[in-house]
Amino acid sequence: MAAGHKKTEQKQISVIIPAYNVEKQIDRCLHSLENQTMQQMEVILINDGSTDGTEQKIQRFIDNKRLEIRYFSDSNHGQAYVRNFGMRQAEGTYIAFIDSDDYLEPEYLEKLYTAAETYHADVVNSGYRVVKEDGTVLSEVNVSPFSETSGFGRAGVFVTWSKLYRTEFLRRQNICFPEGKLYEDVPFSLEAKFLGQNVKSISYIGYNYVQHENSTMSSSSIKSARFPYQELDASLSKISSENTVDNAAFEFETLHFFTGFLFLYCKKASKTEISAFCKYAKTELKTFFPKYWKNPYVGLFSSKELPFYYRMAICLFVTLLRLRLLFPFTYFITRI
C-alpha cells in the first residue's frame, strides 16, 4: 500500500478514515477535522481505490498542512480491510473511526477524549445525528438519555464511529473487523463493548451520519455469503469465555441485534436466505444463552432508553423464537 506524508510525532488520537469515491463529500469531512477544538491528532486516510477525484481532493488538504495526514493508497479492498490496516498504523493513545462522507461537530474529539481520560475508559460511546446530504436532521440517537454519563448506555448501537477506543485495549484483545463481509461492525462492536474494562457512554451528540438514498443496506439484498456467520460466532464465544462480562447486558445486546437484523434488514432477502438467518439466530442463542427469554432487560417497560417499538419488537422476537414461529413470521413481515 503506497503511503505519503509520514507522521511527525505521537498524537493523542488516531482518526482512521477509509475513502472510496467521495470527491463530493470528503471536503466537508476533513474541514470538520480542521475545525476540531482538539488538534492533538493524526489523520490516517486510506484511499481505497477511488476512481473519481477523491485523491486530488485529499492532496489539497495534505498540501495546506492544517491537518497531520498520513495518506495511503491502494486498490479496492473494502472498508473492513482498510480499517484494520489503519489500526495497525495508528500511534495515537486512542482510535476514532470516521466515514469519509460524514462530519463532526467542533467539540467532538475533545468531548470523547476528556471522558476517556476522566474515567480511564477503554471505550467511550457518544450519540449521533442521522442527516440528509444537505444537513437536514432526520433523527438523533442519544446513548445516555437519562444522565450525562452512564455505563454501557443504550443497547443496539452497533456502529463503530461516534466512539473512541483505547489503542492498547484493541490490540491486546485483538479486536478487528471481519473482511469481505456485511455487518462487519457488529462483531467489532460487541467485543469492544463487553471486553472493555471500563466502558462509558456520554449524552453528547457530535457525530453527523449522512444517510444516502443509494446506501449499501437499502439498495442490495442480504446474501448469506456476505453475512459474518463464523466471525460473529467467534466473537460471541470469545466474550462468553470472559468471567468479568455482564452476561445479562451481553445477552440483551445479542437479542437486540438479531431482532433488528431479521425484522428490519432482510426486506429483499430470499426465502432460503431468511431460513438460514433464522436457523443461525436460533443456534447461537441456544448455544450461548440457553435461557434468553428470562433476560431482565426484555419487556415492554424495561430498557426505557430504547423506543417503545424496539422493546416491543424484541419481546415479539423472543416469543416467536420460543413458539418456533420465527421463520414464518419473519418471512411474512419481509414480504410487506
Side-chain angles (χ1 to χ4, degrees), residues 273-301:
E273 301 287 346
I274 291 175
S275 176
F277 293 140
C278 288
K279 288 178 180 178
Y280 176 76
K282 179 181 178 180
T283 299
E284 294 298 288
L285 290 171
K286 182 179 179 180
T287 300
F288 296 106
F289 313 109
K291 296 183 179 180
Y292 59 87
W293 63 88
K294 294 184 178 181
N295 187 281
Y297 298 109
V298 174
L300 295 179
F301 303 102

Side-chain angles (χ1 to χ4, degrees), residues 25-181:
Q25 297 88 16
I26 191 68
D27 281 358
R28 180 166 59 179
C29 177
L30 294 178
H31 278 309
S32 75
L33 283 169
E34 286 183 334
N35 294 329
Q36 288 298 296
T37 55
M38 178 180 181
Q39 287 292 310
Q40 294 301 310
M41 61 175 160
E42 61 172 4
V43 178
I44 300 174
L45 211 167
I46 306 104
N47 179 16
D48 192 30
S50 296
T51 56
D52 62 359
T54 295
E55 185 167 31
Q56 289 76 14
K57 290 289 188 72
I58 293 171
Q59 190 60 50
R60 293 176 190 171
F61 281 87
I62 294 174
D63 292 342
N64 71 27
K65 298 181 180 180
R66 291 183 60 189
L67 287 173
E68 182 181 303
I69 297 177
R70 298 171 62 196
Y71 177 63
F72 302 86
S73 181
D74 202 357
S75 56
N76 186 241
H77 288 291
Q79 184 165 258
Y81 175 92
V82 169
R83 284 174 170 174
N84 288 338
F85 174 83
M87 285 194 290
R88 292 194 295 272
Q89 310 309 311
E91 298 195 25
T93 305
Y94 299 94
I95 286 174
F97 298 102
I98 301 176
D99 284 355
S100 52
D101 48 357
D102 298 339
Y103 58 99
L104 311 174
E105 297 302 318
E107 304 87 2
Y108 175 79
L109 291 177
E110 184 176 8
K111 290 279 190 180
L112 271 64
Y113 176 80
T114 299
E117 290 289 287
T118 299
Y119 297 102
H120 306 287
D122 284 336
V123 182
V124 174
N125 303 310
S126 70
Y128 61 91
R129 295 182 189 86
V130 181
V131 302
K132 291 184 178 181
E133 294 185 54
D134 64 2
T136 302
V137 177
L138 298 174
S139 62
E140 289 189 344
V141 173
N142 189 335
V143 298
S144 184
F146 304 126
S147 61
E148 290 188 9
T149 307
S150 58
F152 288 139
R154 174 173 169 166
V157 182
F158 296 105
V159 296
T160 48
W161 34 258
S162 77
K163 300 173 182 178
L164 194 68
Y165 308 89
R166 189 177 296 274
T167 307
E168 183 275 332
F169 156 68
L170 293 179
R171 289 174 176 164
R172 172 167 41 86
Q173 291 289 352
N174 192 29
I175 299 175
C176 57
F177 295 91
E179 297 177 10
K181 305 290 183 178

Side-chain angles (χ1 to χ4, degrees), residues 182-183 215-227 261 265-270 273 277 335:
L182 294 175
Y183 297 94
S215 66
T216 302
M217 295 305 172
S218 63
S219 63
S220 61
S221 59
I222 305 301
K223 299 293 184 181
S224 288
R226 299 289 308 280
F227 188 85
F261 174 72
Y265 295 109
C266 287
K267 292 293 185 182
K268 298 182 181 181
S270 68
E273 301 287 346
F277 293 140
R335 302 305 101 178

